[in-house]
Amino acid sequence: MGRSAAASKILAPTESHLDYYPFFYSRTPRQLLLQMPVIGQSPKERHHLGNARLHHVTRQVDDVADIRIENCIGFVQVSVGIAGPLQITGPDTEGRYNAPLATCEPMLVASCSRGCKAFNAGGGVQFDVFDDAMSRAPLFGFESPAQAVAFARAVPSFRNDFTRWAEATSKYVRLQGLHASVIGSKVHLFCSYFCGSAAGQNMVSKATQHACEMLR
């Protein structure tokens, strides 16, 4: 099935874009941003974007104390392109946003930008947030289904203790929910946490492990 004329116009790379890439490595990140034909902004807007948001790309990292990784031995340079803009509408935001992509793959930034253009043609992207939680589901095994059911029914009785044990491992983690699911003689204990501004992967693993050990 052939593409429609509208889709072809959105997805097909422009001639100027194809001519652009052979000179990729001879230009600075700011020059690349100003001359990028797929961003969909005027040169003045791209110039402002480059001055406002690319300062951290070209500057040297002098203050090693700001680096938070372990055993830091140095830094590497990766080319960064700007994809977008993408129209996004959500509970607390509405506007057109660009995204930096660190890559050495030609055409990747252009492909993402054309995808954004396709979304924008349909009104952009809309989203909502139903819940904000990081979860873990430790598995408890028993000798019989009857014991598993008894444990699941006892969950509300020890929730306060489980919460206290879990939250004692961090000043940020907060237990939001505790739900048991019985499968035969095994019980999955679904624990959902609020982790503040952190993703909380390690935080909730540590909290859940400690609470389960105390429960034993």
Side-chain angles (χ1 to χ4, degrees):
M1 180 180 296
R3 294 182 301 189
S4 66
S8 298
K9 183 177 180 181
I10 291 173
L11 299 177
T14 63
E15 182 178 355
S16 60
H17 182 255
L18 294 176
D19 293 339
Y20 163 79
Y21 271 96
F23 305 98
F24 181 87
Y25 293 103
S26 65
R27 304 181 185 185
T28 67
R30 183 165 285 104
Q31 288 174 330
L32 295 177
L33 177 64
L34 297 180
Q35 299 171 15
M36 192 71 170
V38 296
I39 288 182
Q41 296 174 318
S42 68
K44 183 177 181 180
E45 290 173 325
R46 293 199 294 272
H47 181 75
H48 173 73
L49 181 65
N51 288 335
R53 300 185 182 179
L54 285 185
H55 61 89
H56 61 287
V57 174
T58 55
R59 75 180 184 185
Q60 297 295 322
V61 180
D62 298 322
D63 192 358
V64 181
D66 290 337
I67 306 303
R68 302 302 182 188
I69 68 170
E70 298 76 22
N71 303 327
C72 179
I73 61 172
F75 309 90
V76 297
Q77 290 185 335
V78 181
S79 53
V80 179
I82 299 294
L86 176 63
Q87 177 68 35
I88 299 178
T89 303
D92 300 315
T93 185
E94 182 173 0
R96 297 169 72 87
Y97 296 89
N98 294 277
L101 299 180
T103 179
C104 295
E105 179 182 347
M107 304 303 293
L108 179 61
V109 177
S111 297
C112 292
S113 294
R114 289 195 296 273
C116 293
K117 188 175 181 180
F119 276 116
N120 292 340
V125 175
Q126 298 182 9
F127 75 94
D128 210 325
V129 179
F130 294 99
D131 194 12
D132 181 9
M134 180 61 65
S135 62
R136 289 295 181 267
L139 177 66
F140 293 83
F142 298 89
E143 294 182 355
S144 67
Q147 291 180 347
V149 170
F151 174 80
R153 289 176 174 171
V155 169
S157 66
F158 62 72
R159 171 166 178 162
N160 290 339
D161 289 332
F162 195 95
T163 300
R164 177 167 50 85
W165 295 328
E167 294 181 358
T169 62
S170 171
K171 62 181 180 180
Y172 300 107
V173 69
R174 294 293 180 268
L175 183 68
Q176 292 181 318
L178 196 63
H179 171 71
S181 177
V182 179
I183 302 178
S185 60
K186 295 178 173 57
V187 179
H188 290 274
L189 190 61
F190 292 93
C191 315
S192 60
Y193 299 88
F194 176 72
C195 305
S197 59
Q201 295 281 357
N202 295 328
M203 188 186 303
V204 299
S205 295
K206 180 180 179 181
T208 305
Q209 180 178 0
H210 176 69
C212 289
E213 290 175 349
M214 295 296 293
L215 185 62
R216 292 170 59 186

